[in-house]
Amino acid sequence: MESLKLGSLEVWPPVVLAPMAGITNAPFRTLCREQGGGLFVCEMITTRALVERNPKTFKMIRFEPEESPRSIQLYGIDPVTVGRAVRMIAEEDLADHVDLNFGCPVPKVTRKGGGSALPYKRNLFRAILREAVGNAGTLPVTVKMRKGIDDDHLTYLDAGRIAVEEGVSAIALHGRTAIQHYGGTADWEAIARLKESVTEIPVLGNGDIWSAADARRMMDETGCDGVVVGRGCLGRPWLFADLAAMCEGGGELRRPLLGEVAATMDRHVTLMAECFESERHAVVDFRKHVGWYLKGFTVGSELRRRLTASESLSGLREGFAELDAAQPWPDGVDTPRGKTNPRDRVQLPAGWLDDPYDLAVPSADAETDASGG
């Protein structure tokens, strides 16, 4: 297995942590990065918020001193603003790598023409990539996208060709359409077709990687150059240890006892409190992680309730102490977690599908902090 080459960057193992809103902040990236190497992308930020120097946005792109390479994912719909944001990152040394998100399936984004709806407008997609690459200097620019809007409006092969022509360093394909949201099964055959079509730059696969075995199977079946892991690592930062072992040719898997899981939960929320400089903010934000960490373990409903309703670090730690530390890792938990439901339709601007080559830029309110996908 080869390293992932993104311009001047070389990433080993060829594993990427997908940016997830409210998840892939500096504390979570630290937990994952300590397990094994790779590229760990921060939460998605909007280009408009960056160029306007929004204080919240600058807190979101906080990197630890030892974090390298530093990776930012941008979401933007206006070529000029995207270009300004990328130039700002390059000139102010805010990161070592820029990823562009064209995968967000959230209705409040697609109904304005953003996210996974945007690559349908081929010329607009090209203009955004041209501005990004042209303003990046030596920084590699990559793209994350979906197959298309739905099965009748697939865009990934056209988008892949355009990305190569505009000098993008790599493409990541989530093997779902926007209408699937996170439901159904990811189409790994589409990843294989994109890899066959795009030979000049690396192609990364994303979707339904719940274990290192899934990653190995995706690479074997599609020929992709690396994998992007999102929901599979929720409550499981040690998945990156499994992925590193897989890439090194080993078969040893991390199967922590519940006591080790509890210790990881404690460290996670402690890092969050230090990062956010607010114990209450950290504890409340951590609540969503509790179910992911404890998935499959036998834990009483009252204890679960207390952990997900805690108001303080001390309250959480009292709950952690009550967990059965010797309880072994449960079977059958390498399964979907997080959002799963498909949509009945993709909400789009009026007339969006009329002309795939229209260069009209969506309205500025298409930019939102919604999660990429």
Side-chain angles (χ1 to χ4, degrees), residues 163-313:
V164 170
E165 292 171 354
E166 295 303 328
V168 166
S169 295
I171 309 168
L173 178 63
H174 184 160
R176 286 182 170 88
T177 56
I179 199 169
Q180 284 183 271
H181 205 60
Y182 295 93
T185 302
D187 179 8
W188 290 4
E189 290 184 7
I191 298 170
R193 286 193 293 272
L194 181 63
K195 176 59 184 173
E196 292 172 357
S197 174
V198 173
T199 58
E200 300 91 336
I201 59 177
V203 170
L204 310 178
N206 176 225
D208 293 350
I209 296 177
W210 311 110
S211 68
D214 291 333
R216 175 78 271 177
R217 186 164 57 86
M218 175 186 277
M219 297 184 76
D220 288 343
E221 292 180 7
T222 69
C224 66
D225 301 286
V227 295
V228 180
V229 179
R231 293 174 299 149
C233 67
L234 296 178
R236 280 197 66 194
W238 45 85
L239 175 58
F240 288 93
D242 293 348
L243 292 166
M246 177 271 291
C247 291
E248 295 286 355
E252 189 75 19
L253 300 180
R254 287 288 310 280
R255 292 293 181 260
L257 301 177
L258 183 52
E260 185 178 348
V261 174
T264 302
M265 295 171 75
D266 191 336
R267 181 143 188 271
H268 189 169
V269 71
T270 300
L271 289 171
M272 290 171 70
E274 294 170 355
C275 178
F276 300 159
E277 299 180 339
S278 167
E279 178 178 327
R280 175 166 172 73
H281 180 186
V283 170
V284 171
D285 193 68
F286 182 75
R287 291 172 180 171
K288 62 178 175 278
H289 293 273
V290 171
W292 296 327
Y293 274 112
L294 298 182
K295 181 176 181 178
F297 286 103
T298 301
V299 179
S301 59
E302 172 59 22
L303 179 52
R304 284 182 183 267
R305 186 200 65 76
R306 282 193 284 121
L307 286 169
T308 55
S310 292
E311 299 283 346
S312 65
L313 284 173

Side-chain angles (χ1 to χ4, degrees), residues 21 44 46 75 101 104 106 108-109 339 367-373:
M44 182 185 75
T46 68
Y75 167 71
N101 181 284
C104 186
V106 175
K108 64 182 178 181
V109 172
K339 298 172 286 187
E367 292 207 14
T368 173
D369 291 334
S371 177

Side-chain angles (χ1 to χ4, degrees), residues 17-89:
L17 168 65
M20 293 178 280
I23 305 292
T24 56
N25 46 39
F28 187 73
R29 295 197 309 273
T30 294
L31 292 178
C32 295
R33 198 176 68 249
E34 289 174 347
Q35 301 294 321
L39 184 67
F40 301 90
V41 189
C42 79
E43 300 172 81
M44 182 185 75
I45 62 170
T46 68
T47 54
R48 186 175 59 171
L50 183 64
V51 298
E52 292 176 355
R53 297 186 177 275
N54 181 285
K56 177 185 174 182
T57 296
F58 269 79
K59 287 182 180 179
M60 291 172 66
I61 59 173
R62 170 185 178 273
F63 295 98
E64 297 296 342
E66 69 277 7
E67 196 166 350
S68 179
R70 301 162 299 160
S71 179
I72 287 179
Q73 188 185 69
L74 294 178
Y75 167 71
I77 44 83
D78 176 59
V80 174
T81 306
V82 171
R84 289 176 61 195
V86 174
R87 179 178 288 272
M88 184 174 165
I89 292 170

